């Protein structure tokens, strides 16, 4: 890899002396054009679990860019720069642009495997929404992603990356959570008729831009700009409740 690895996905390997060495990388072939529009990579890379694999490509990764493209990469060979056919990207797949994507993608390994991307309305024609991609494979064992569902609700600037909770890979147990416009929203992970079903919406005052919810002990936590942490969880009834006393929810 070159010494300048800005706007890249990088594999770092710990050396015997404790230092880190870049051994593989991926940069978009048209990085100069993307950078001129501020369409660089934005979300953190996400290593996909074993559900997203084939015998030929057992280790995969997704990363998103502000142009709205979702990149599917081979973790064993990230793709370098201009190494694909015709000097293009050596990625397993590029999907979009479907609106500006700034936050990290969410992943659900159950029900065949899904990737969720929060997008914003942008000049490239994309609408602000949650996009759901289904994991696919070709007859030759080449993995891919297919856009199979979108949210009906509009996502606004500052939308967080989607976070998925579940009981392992048990079908029917997962929920996709996202924070947008001072609302915590929950979606069914499996699209029906091309749409992600909204399960619920709860108001959270003063949410911070791009800040995802935290998860622990069956509680969804949302912090705001005023030093308050809200906790949402199931009680004796099948409903989410919120209480607030002395600045702590």
């Amino acid at each position: 890899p070159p010494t300048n690895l800005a706007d890249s996905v990088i594999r770092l390997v710990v050396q015997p002396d404790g230092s880190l060495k870049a051994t593989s990388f991926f940069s978009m072939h048209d990085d100069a054009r993307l950078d001129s529009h501020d369409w660089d990579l934005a979300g953190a890379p996400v290593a996909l679990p074993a559900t997203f694999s084939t015998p030929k490509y057992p280790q995969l990764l997704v990363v998103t860019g502000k142009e709205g493209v979702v990149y599917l990469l081979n973790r064993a060979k990230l793709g370098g720069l201009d190494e694909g056919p015709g000097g293009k990207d050596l990625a397993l797949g590029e999907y979009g642009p479907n609106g500006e994507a700034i936050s990290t993608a969410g992943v659900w390994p159950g029900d065949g495997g899904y990737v969720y991307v929060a997008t914003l309305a942008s000049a490239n024609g994309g609408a602000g929404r949650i996009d759901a991609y289904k994991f696919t494979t070709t007859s030759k064992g080449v993995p891919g992603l297919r856009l199979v569902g979108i949210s009906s609700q509009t996502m606004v600037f500052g939308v967080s990356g989607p976070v998925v909770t579940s009981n392992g890979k048990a079908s029917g147990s997962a929920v996709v959570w996202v924070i947008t416009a001072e609302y915590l929203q929950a979606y069914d992970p499996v699209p029906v008729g091309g749409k992600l079903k909204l399960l619920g919406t709860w108001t959270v005052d003063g949410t911070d831009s791009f800040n995802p919810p935290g998860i622990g002990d069956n509680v969804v936590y949302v912090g705001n700009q005023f030093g308050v942490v809200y906790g949402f969880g199931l009680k004796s009834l099948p409903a989410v409740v919120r209480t607030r006393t002395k600045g702590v929810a």
Side-chain angles (χ1 to χ4, degrees), residues 50-155:
T51 299
F52 302 81
S53 66
T54 68
K56 187 176 181 179
Y57 299 98
Q59 295 183 317
L60 302 177
L61 174 151
V62 293
V63 66
T64 59
K66 292 180 185 177
E67 186 184 25
V69 174
V70 178
Y71 300 90
L72 180 64
L73 305 179
N74 177 9
R75 280 151 54 193
K77 185 177 182 180
L78 289 175
L81 175 64
D82 300 339
E83 294 184 23
K88 302 291 185 177
D89 298 328
L90 189 60
L92 292 175
E94 297 183 12
Y95 314 95
N98 290 315
E100 189 172 355
I102 297 180
S103 303
T104 301
V107 175
W108 162 234
D111 294 317
Y114 288 85
V115 172
Y116 308 94
V117 178
T119 68
L120 306 174
S122 62
N124 62 32
R129 63 196 189 190
I130 304 297
D131 292 338
Y133 293 86
K134 181 71 181 291
F135 178 66
T136 64
T137 59
T138 68
S139 58
K140 296 183 179 180
V142 178
L145 297 173
R146 180 167 57 93
L147 182 62
V148 294
I150 61 175
S151 65
S152 297
Q153 293 69 35
T154 300
M155 302 296 120

Side-chain angles (χ1 to χ4, degrees), residues 7-246:
D7 199 21
S8 302
V9 177
I10 309 166
R11 177 188 290 275
L12 296 172
V13 177
V14 179
Q15 301 302 295
D17 62 358
S19 63
L20 295 174
K21 180 180 180 180
T23 61
S24 181
F25 78 105
F26 169 76
S27 293
M28 295 81 72
H29 76 279
D30 55 348
D31 181 69
R33 177 187 69 84
L34 297 174
D35 188 59
S36 68
H37 292 284
D38 192 24
W39 286 346
D40 52 297
L41 295 178
V46 179
L48 298 179
T51 299
F52 302 81
S53 66
T54 68
K56 187 176 181 179
Y57 299 98
Q59 295 183 317
L60 302 177
L61 174 151
V62 293
V63 66
T64 59
K66 292 180 185 177
E67 186 184 25
V69 174
V70 178
Y71 300 90
L72 180 64
L73 305 179
N74 177 9
R75 280 151 54 193
K77 185 177 182 180
L78 289 175
L81 175 64
D82 300 339
E83 294 184 23
K88 302 291 185 177
D89 298 328
L90 189 60
L92 292 175
E94 297 183 12
Y95 314 95
N98 290 315
E100 189 172 355
I102 297 180
S103 303
T104 301
V107 175
W108 162 234
D111 294 317
Y114 288 85
V115 172
Y116 308 94
V117 178
T119 68
L120 306 174
S122 62
N124 62 32
R129 63 196 189 190
I130 304 297
D131 292 338
Y133 293 86
K134 181 71 181 291
F135 178 66
T136 64
T137 59
T138 68
S139 58
K140 296 183 179 180
V142 178
L145 297 173
R146 180 167 57 93
L147 182 62
V148 294
I150 61 175
S151 65
S152 297
Q153 293 69 35
T154 300
M155 302 296 120
V156 301
F157 183 84
V159 59
S160 75
V163 174
V164 181
T165 59
S166 69
N167 181 14
K169 295 194 295 184
S171 182
S173 71
V175 177
V176 181
W177 303 89
V178 67
I179 300 172
T180 180
E182 300 194 336
Y183 293 103
L184 172 66
Q185 295 182 338
Y187 290 89
D188 192 302
V190 180
V192 176
K195 297 292 184 180
L196 286 171
K197 180 183 178 181
L198 181 67
L199 300 176
T201 299
W202 302 272
T203 302
V204 182
D205 301 326
T207 55
D208 209 357
S209 295
F210 311 114
N211 190 32
I215 308 296
D217 294 330
N218 296 317
V219 178
V220 178
Y221 296 97
V222 182
N224 71 4
Q225 300 179 34
F226 312 121
V228 176
V229 174
Y230 295 83
F232 298 85
L234 292 173
K235 297 298 184 181
S236 58
L237 297 176
V240 176
V241 299
R242 183 185 76 176
T243 60
R244 179 173 178 174
T245 59
K246 297 183 180 180

